[in-house]
Amino acid sequence: AMFVCGSTGALFAQGRGAADTADQLVWTYGFIILAQLPVVCAYVFLRKHLGSRHILTTSLIALLVFAPAAHVIASVVHIIFIRLGIEIELDFGHSTLLFFTATSWDQSIWTLFLCTTLGAAVVEEVMYRGLLLPTLVTFIGGRSMWQAMVLTSLIFALMHIGPAQPSAIVGLFVFSLGLCWARIKSGGILAPIIIHAIFNAINIALV
């Protein structure tokens, strides 16, 4: 349902804002997020136990372990891919980051910042860690959740193909494993949302 809603939102955003500008990206992200909000609200309403445990501890551990690991692995893979001719040398793994290199931030850039941090964190965590991961755990079965975590992370990473470089896709896969771990460890999606939002904010700050 969230994929369909997101695609519908993207269609409504077409033709809004000048091409290849932050305004256009804000319209696109904004409509995608708004279109998925009904599913997010339904998830919050229907899930009986939204309470999470050890939110701060889990978030801190995941940020200190998986976020640096994702950056290091993506950097190493980027160097390898450059030498293999798969990628060109770029300072940013995701095309959206280019818009944050502006010397002064206007309303569009600040709105884009909110969309890519808080908006993306809430929507994507409900989709992948709130709905997809538990579904795969139930479907796959077994005592270990790693198969479901790996499959969820693979889908999460592949959904970023296009704006993200192949090496960044690898890094996102590693980062998603941390988000899945945080989801299982904390028992809810609040910790993954916090981790995701901070991770994206850090990436923006680094540009």
Side-chain angles (χ1 to χ4, degrees), residues 81-97:
F81 281 0
I82 289 174
R83 293 182 178 179
L84 293 176
I86 298 174
E87 289 182 359
I88 60 174
E89 189 170 356
L90 291 174
D91 294 329
F92 311 114
H94 198 290
S95 59
T96 302
L97 294 174

Side-chain angles (χ1 to χ4, degrees), residues 22-23 26 99-100 102-113:
D23 282 335
V26 166
F99 293 98
F100 295 102
T103 54
S104 61
W105 283 25
D106 56 16
Q107 183 178 353
S108 296
I109 300 298
W110 280 109
T111 305
L112 184 60
F113 176 79

Side-chain angles (χ1 to χ4, degrees), residues 1-12 28-40 123:
M2 294 195 76
F3 287 110
V4 174
C5 290
S7 299
T8 303
L11 288 175
F12 275 103
T28 302
Y29 285 170
F31 269 99
I32 290 174
I33 292 171
L34 287 174
Q36 292 175 320
L37 278 182
V39 181
V40 173
V123 168

Side-chain angles (χ1 to χ4, degrees), residues 47-197:
R47 191 164 186 266
K48 296 180 180 179
H49 304 290
L50 280 175
S52 302
R53 58 185 182 272
H54 311 303
I55 297 174
L56 294 179
T57 304
T58 303
S59 300
L60 184 61
I61 293 174
L63 280 171
L64 292 177
V65 175
F66 289 95
H71 278 292
V72 170
I73 291 173
S75 298
V76 172
V77 173
H78 181 52
I79 294 172
I80 295 173
F81 281 0
I82 289 174
R83 293 182 178 179
L84 293 176
I86 298 174
E87 289 182 359
I88 60 174
E89 189 170 356
L90 291 174
D91 294 329
F92 311 114
H94 198 290
S95 59
T96 302
L97 294 174
L98 293 171
F99 293 98
F100 295 102
T101 58
T103 54
S104 61
W105 283 25
D106 56 16
Q107 183 178 353
S108 296
I109 300 298
W110 280 109
T111 305
L112 184 60
F113 176 79
L114 290 176
C115 288
T116 52
T117 52
L118 185 59
V122 172
V123 168
E124 291 186 358
E125 290 315 309
V126 169
M127 181 188 300
Y128 295 103
R129 260 60 63 173
L131 297 172
L132 182 60
L133 178 61
T135 301
L136 290 176
V137 169
T138 302
F139 180 76
I140 296 174
R143 294 183 178 181
S144 175
M145 295 187 179
W146 277 103
Q147 288 179 316
M149 291 169 63
V150 169
L151 187 54
T152 299
S153 298
L154 182 62
I155 296 172
F156 172 80
L158 292 178
M159 287 302 294
H160 289 80
I161 288 179
Q165 291 203 93
S167 56
I169 298 295
V170 177
L172 287 172
F173 172 80
V174 175
F175 179 61
S176 179
L177 289 176
L179 293 172
C180 291
W181 174 83
R183 166 66 173 88
I184 294 170
K185 189 71 174 179
S186 66
I189 63 169
L190 290 180
I193 288 174
I194 293 172
I195 298 164
H196 198 150

